[in-house]
Amino acid sequence: MRHFDTICVQGGYTPGNGEPRQIPIIQSTTFKYNTGEDMAKLFDLESDGYFYSRLQNPTCDLVAAKIRDLEGGTAAMLTSSGMAATFFAVFNIAGQGDHVISSTAIYGGSYNLFAVTMKRMGVEFTFVSPDATDEELDAAFRPNTKLVFGETIANPALRVLDIEKFAAAAHRHGVPLVIDNTFATPVNCRPFEFGADIVTHSTTKYMDGHGAALGGAIVDAGRFDWTRYADKFPGLCTPDESYHGVTYTERFGLGGAFITKATAQLMRDFGAMQSPQNAYILNLGLESLHVRMKRHCENGLAVAQFLAGHPNVSWVTYPDLPGSRDYALAQKYLPKGSCGVVSFGVKGGRQAAETFMRGLKLAAIETHVADARTCCLHPASTTHRQMTDEELVAAGVGPDLVRMSCGLEDAADLIADIDQALKASEG
């Protein structure tokens, strides 16, 4: 296996003599075959190949292979967005009548997917604190629990998950741990090394890194033994009649069963495929991911340190900031750095925070994060504006909270912009 940085640049695709140096964009919906028998083998999952890009596409598979190698997994797939990746990863093993445990410290969109949409589909979720004890975690499990879900670094709470603790709890009860590794990326954390079984990404964020292409990814570690708990996971361990009775664990083994099922069933039926063009753009971002993440983390820490000493800031949350709640966990799971996102409170509450936002000149007001350009958001006046101040506090997104995603600019320019905007927020 090549070193990590080399995989970022050259992983997933090795051109042959006279072939394109860059991953080619196979911009085609369909693929030609000489006989119906050749195509029938594809529909029966008896042969590798492509017949319709809603399921698989060569460009997407090459990029997925790079992400697979970066995470240290055995199989991977791309999806149209990070939300699609989260949904597919959960719904691939949990359906009507099943139960899932999730950390409370997750992206708001994922929470809504779980608590509202998937609840309507008959999947019940129990949300537990990332600080839950082993006893509290064990108490959350039920006979019909199918998986545990968490985020390496929560968006926007920036809580660092104790992956080993959650993995141990999941495995004690015979279910996998699914981790959203979007903010850390495999540059700063490879959750499989700490016991996670499946990893998801919003590739829209740091992996793309330039706000150019929506996308998501799912990677399987290939270690969880579905057959040991066959009664819990019939979709993987019993014949699938929609594919002529194929049993995924028998045909594709532990290393390929999960991703093959997600592709053959969910991508077939929901069609949340990443386009070849977006996959091509994603690969361009991956080629510099190992270089960019270092700068994002350097800028994030510099901004956090500045904010921690500013008289107009009431609090700062950043995993690598000494004294922060999850500093010890960050040192354990994220020794190279965490991310470029910093959350903080502006003294004076909602009005002061809104004034601060209006004063920014370099940082752009966007709902986006993890971009080469610094962007900033005040949730109380934008994404969470329908909530009262009391509801905001209860949700952990107080009216004073500002989320800043530090880009690749010079840290001195970012700090100068923040400083002048904070001074403008003074009552």
Side-chain angles (χ1 to χ4, degrees):
M1 176 65 73
R2 290 173 174 166
H3 289 85
F4 186 92
D5 293 4
T6 303
I7 297 172
C8 279
V9 180
Q10 295 201 28
Y13 172 65
T14 302
N17 187 43
E19 292 183 345
R21 186 65 190 88
Q22 182 55 274
I23 287 178
I25 302 173
I26 308 300
Q27 193 67 47
S28 181
T29 60
T30 52
F31 300 82
K32 175 187 174 294
Y33 287 89
N34 292 329
T35 70
E37 289 78 13
D38 290 337
M39 185 172 286
K41 292 178 182 179
L42 298 176
F43 278 92
D44 290 345
L45 303 181
E46 293 178 355
S47 178
D48 292 331
Y50 303 92
F51 55 87
Y52 195 52
S53 281
R54 189 180 78 230
L55 279 87
Q56 287 181 283
N57 175 280
T59 304
C60 296
D61 281 357
L62 291 171
V63 180
K66 175 180 284 191
I67 296 173
R68 175 202 66 199
D69 291 346
L70 290 174
E71 284 287 7
T74 59
M77 65 188 293
L78 299 186
T79 62
S80 57
S81 68
M83 289 303 302
T86 297
F87 173 62
F88 278 17
V90 175
F91 199 59
N92 202 34
I93 49 179
Q96 186 176 22
D98 290 333
H99 173 251
V100 174
I101 296 170
S102 172
S103 168
T104 55
I106 59 173
Y107 170 54
S110 298
Y111 179 86
N112 289 335
L113 170 67
F114 296 162
V116 180
T117 301
M118 293 195 73
K119 181 179 180 181
R120 292 172 56 201
M121 301 171 75
V123 184
E124 188 173 356
F125 287 79
T126 295
F127 295 92
V128 297
S129 168
D131 299 319
T133 64
D134 288 341
E135 293 74 20
E136 289 169 334
L137 284 174
D138 286 336
F141 284 85
R142 304 175 187 175
N144 62 337
T145 301
K146 295 299 178 71
L147 66 103
V148 179
F149 181 90
E151 296 182 5
T152 308
I153 306 172
N155 173 20
L158 300 180
R159 296 299 311 272
V160 178
L161 192 74
D162 190 340
I163 300 173
E164 288 185 339
K165 179 177 72 174
F166 275 69
H171 296 160
R172 281 196 300 272
H173 295 269
V175 301
L177 174 64
V178 180
I179 291 289
D180 182 332
N181 198 34
T182 297
F183 267 19
T185 81
V187 173
N188 289 338
C189 182
R190 303 215 306 175
F192 294 155
E193 296 176 356
F194 300 101
D197 302 291
I198 297 159
V199 160
T200 66
H201 286 276
S202 170
T203 62
T204 314
K205 308 305 189 296
Y206 285 122
M207 283 189 167
D208 167 23
H210 300 84
L214 288 170
I218 310 172
V219 187
D220 182 13
R223 292 194 305 250
F224 189 82
D225 190 351
W226 309 102
T227 61
R228 183 180 177 186
Y229 312 98
D231 59 325
K232 279 182 177 286
F233 307 106
L236 287 155
C237 302
T238 59
D240 178 2
E241 296 308 321
S242 71
Y243 277 105
H244 306 288
V246 64
T247 299
Y248 294 101
T249 50
E250 291 180 2
R251 177 76 62 84
F252 303 100
L254 299 183
F258 183 87
I259 293 297
T260 302
K261 178 179 180 293
T263 302
Q265 289 183 351
L266 301 186
M267 194 64 79
R268 175 195 66 191
D269 295 342
F270 290 95
M273 186 68 191
Q274 186 168 147
S275 73
Q277 180 70 51
N278 280 18
Y280 175 85
I281 294 171
L282 167 59
N283 186 62
L284 295 179
L286 290 171
E287 290 178 352
S288 64
L289 180 65
H290 58 299
V291 179
R292 290 184 289 105
M293 285 306 295
K294 181 179 179 181
R295 181 59 174 264
H296 281 297
C297 293
E298 289 173 352
N299 282 355
L301 181 58
V303 166
Q305 290 171 333
F306 170 77
L307 290 168
H310 200 286
N312 293 350
V313 173
S314 52
W315 56 270
V316 180
T317 298
Y318 186 69
D320 294 326
L321 191 64
S324 67
R325 177 165 51 178
D326 291 336
Y327 181 76
L329 288 174
Q331 298 307 296
K332 176 180 178 178
Y333 293 114
L334 305 157
K336 296 180 181 179
S338 55
C339 63
V341 182
V342 183
S343 292
F344 61 98
V346 181
K347 283 187 178 178
R350 178 191 292 265
Q351 184 175 350
E354 291 176 350
T355 303
F356 165 79
M357 296 293 291
R358 287 193 294 270
L360 291 170
K361 294 179 171 57
L362 182 62
I365 299 175
E366 302 176 13
T367 57
H368 193 39
V369 289
D371 190 90
R373 296 159 290 261
T374 295
C375 45
C376 199
L377 187 73
H378 177 230
S381 61
T382 54
T383 56
H384 293 63
R385 65 179 295 112
Q386 76 279 8
M387 301 171 70
T388 67
D389 284 1
E390 292 74 20
E391 290 172 334
L392 288 167
V393 171
V397 188
D400 64 336
L401 184 148
V402 170
R403 182 189 70 188
M404 177 162 285
S405 175
C406 300
L408 304 179
E409 304 92 345
D410 191 295
D413 289 332
L414 297 181
I415 289 171
D417 188 37
I418 294 168
D419 187 40
Q420 61 84 25
L422 282 171
K423 289 176 179 176
S425 73
E426 294 176 355

